[in-house]
Amino acid sequence: MSGIEGKVVAITGASSGIGEATALLLAERGAKIVLGARRPERLEALAARIEKAGGEAAWARTDVTRHEDLSGLVKLARDRYGKLDVLVSNAGIGLISRLDDLRVEDWEEMIDVNLKGVLYGIAAALPVFREQGFGHFVNTVSTAGLRIVPLQSVYAGTKNAVRTISEGLRQEAGDSLRVTVVSPGAVRTDFAERMDPAVKDQIDKMMEIALSPDAVARAIAFAIEQPDGVDVGDIVVRPTAQG
């Protein structure tokens, strides 16, 4: 029996990249997975893939900018599997640009998804975790918040806000709840698809050294599999070639 087997894990941003890789790995290790993302066709296909491999999965279209969608995802976990052990708040976007470009709508979208999406997850899961007497928040942040560089100030700001909130949550959580932040570096995902073409070219060059999403999934699994009473607070995982 692993420390993951039998746990019920809800994952946002589960339709691709780190979320998808995490869902597959945890399901392989015996977790029951509840998938949330905005692309239902991808979720349905992923759930079918997990079930075909002998795992268990449920899914719901989830827009993390809507509090009610996060509440629905948590409710689905409890209705289907009777509990929720872990909420992985992984949904995120990186619409990076120069501040001079004044892409205010992009700033607002990053705040809504990267920051408010995590807060809505906390609002949905924290009362459940308190009632159960156990629970684990895993929040995906970024190494962009550890080394601030041009173009990424708003993106890094949203991720560092989540880092700060997570630490406050950890201190308030008491001895029965766990809180982990995972800071990935460059990872091969569709992260750059909506960026300005000139910026996207820079990010695409970083993909030459980028990690597979599986590497981040293993880091998340490491935090989840720890025995009760062990809280892995902060994990940084990046390519050895990343400066």
Side-chain angles (χ1 to χ4, degrees), residues 11-14 36-37 62 64 88-93 113-115 117-118 140 159:
I11 304 170
T12 67
T62 304
V64 299
V88 180
S89 290
N90 171 72
I93 55 171
V113 174
N114 298 351
L115 175 53
V118 173
T140 304
K159 292 299 188 177

Side-chain angles (χ1 to χ4, degrees), residues 93-188:
I93 55 171
L95 306 177
I96 65 176
S97 62
R98 294 186 62 84
L99 289 170
D100 284 304
D101 293 340
L102 301 180
R103 296 176 66 164
V104 176
E105 291 183 358
D106 288 354
W107 302 348
E108 291 174 341
E109 189 173 355
M110 284 188 284
I111 290 167
D112 287 344
V113 174
N114 298 351
L115 175 53
K116 291 169 69 175
V118 173
L119 285 169
Y120 291 157
I122 292 169
L126 184 56
V128 172
F129 288 169
R130 292 295 193 200
E131 179 186 331
Q132 294 175 161
F134 60 87
H136 189 175
F137 292 98
V138 179
N139 298 329
T140 304
V141 288
S142 173
T143 57
L146 301 177
R147 179 173 179 266
I148 310 303
V149 298
L151 307 180
Q152 297 187 22
S153 53
V154 178
Y155 172 70
T158 63
K159 292 299 188 177
N160 272 343
V162 171
R163 192 186 309 278
T164 300
I165 290 165
S166 299
E167 174 58 17
L169 176 61
R170 185 194 67 79
Q171 293 186 31
E172 294 181 19
D175 60 4
S176 60
L177 306 186
R178 303 195 289 186
V179 182
T180 300
V181 293
V182 179
S183 300
V187 181
R188 290 192 299 274

Side-chain angles (χ1 to χ4, degrees), residues 56-89:
E56 295 185 61
W59 63 272
R61 186 187 184 281
T62 304
D63 180 345
V64 299
T65 68
R66 294 167 51 88
H67 180 201
E68 57 269 33
D69 282 16
L70 270 302
S71 296
L73 190 69
V74 171
K75 184 176 186 299
L76 174 61
R78 298 187 85 192
D79 289 349
R80 183 70 59 89
Y81 300 119
K83 63 174 180 173
L84 176 65
D85 292 282
V86 186
L87 174 62
V88 180
S89 290

Side-chain angles (χ1 to χ4, degrees), residues 2-14:
S2 75
I4 292 171
E5 188 167 355
K7 286 188 173 179
V8 178
V9 182
I11 304 170
T12 67

Side-chain angles (χ1 to χ4, degrees), residues 44-62:
E44 186 175 19
L46 179 56
R49 184 177 171 189
I50 289 170
E51 290 168 353
K52 185 176 180 180
E56 295 185 61
W59 63 272
R61 186 187 184 281
T62 304

